[in-house]
């Protein structure tokens, strides 16, 4: 599989040129709701961005609410990516159809809410690693490797 856009491509360009962006431009939301974007995104009928230079108290309150809402959403996405590694860059990518990927993301959110409701910590992966016994190496490390590591330890 070849990436359609290189890693340095801004998200706003990808959105505008993706099938999702085209559907949004064609009125998929029909004024029912909006996406929130930062100042790197263009203001459109479906994508709301903060005001560049808020002049009134009302504009400042709007920007504050916009920023708080975006931050809440980004933190939520971060929590899901931390709990479910398949959603984060460390786990790769969801190489499924868009519908199946949406189903996986939705299930991840539901399972996350169930876990939170039952007091399961957010960083389950780390807790599991701490509790699981480590298998010992079958062979002893080479003495030079032990010495090299100790030299590094001594530097600190």
């Amino acid at each position: 599989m070849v990436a359609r856009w290189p890693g340095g491509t801004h998200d706003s360009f990808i959105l505008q040129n993706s099938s999702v962006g085209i559907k949004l431009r064609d009125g998929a939301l029909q004024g029912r709701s909006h996406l929130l974007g930062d100042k790197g995104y263009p203001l459109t009928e479906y994508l709301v961005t903060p005001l560049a230079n808020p002049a009134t108290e009302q504009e400042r309150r709007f920007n504050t609410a916009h920023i708080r809402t975006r931050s809440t959403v980004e933190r939520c996405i971060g929590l899901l990516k931390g709990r479910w590694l398949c959603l984060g860059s460390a786990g790769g990518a969801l190489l499924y159809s868009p519908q199946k990927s949406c189903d996986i993301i939705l299930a991840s959110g539901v399972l996350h809410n169930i876990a939170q409701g039952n007091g399961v910590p957010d960083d389950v992966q780390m807790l599991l690693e701490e509790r699981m016994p480590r298998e010992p190496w079958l062979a002893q490390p080479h003495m030079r490797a032990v010495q090299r590591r100790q030299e590094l330890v001594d530097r600190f």
Side-chain angles (χ1 to χ4, degrees):
M1 175 184 266
V2 176
R4 186 166 179 189
W5 293 290
T9 305
H10 193 276
D11 294 344
S12 66
F13 178 84
I14 294 171
L15 175 64
Q16 290 173 1
N17 294 285
S18 69
S19 60
V20 172
I22 292 167
K23 287 179 183 179
L24 290 169
R25 271 196 311 270
D26 290 344
L29 294 178
Q30 298 176 355
R32 295 184 306 243
S33 56
H34 296 89
L35 299 176
L36 296 180
D38 61 24
K39 59 185 177 184
Y41 287 84
L43 176 64
T44 67
E45 290 181 31
Y46 59 86
L47 187 97
V48 178
T49 59
L51 294 154
N53 298 304
T56 67
E57 184 58 31
Q58 190 172 10
E59 289 176 345
R60 285 188 282 280
R61 285 196 311 268
F62 169 82
N63 271 9
T64 299
H66 184 283
I67 291 165
R68 284 183 180 163
T69 303
R70 270 195 59 251
S71 295
T72 300
V73 171
E74 287 181 13
R75 278 192 310 276
C76 182
I77 292 168
L79 277 172
L80 290 176
K81 289 168 87 173
R83 187 181 291 272
W84 311 110
L85 296 181
C86 66
L87 300 178
S89 58
L94 294 177
L95 302 176
Y96 300 103
S97 69
Q99 182 58 51
K100 187 167 190 133
S101 294
C102 287
D103 291 344
I104 292 169
I105 293 166
L106 177 63
S108 299
V110 169
L111 292 172
H112 174 76
N113 290 342
I114 291 169
Q116 277 195 318
N118 287 286
V120 178
D122 291 336
D123 202 351
V124 176
Q125 186 66 33
M126 187 171 70
L127 291 174
L128 290 175
E129 288 175 2
E130 289 173 1
R131 285 191 223 140
M132 291 177 66
R134 307 270 186 209
E135 291 293 324
W137 289 97
L138 298 177
Q140 291 296 319
H142 190 273
M143 193 58 189
R144 179 65 192 134
V146 173
Q147 289 171 340
R148 179 68 182 133
R149 180 175 60 193
Q150 190 57 49
E151 289 169 6
L152 292 170
V153 169
D154 291 344
R155 285 186 189 177
F156 291 95

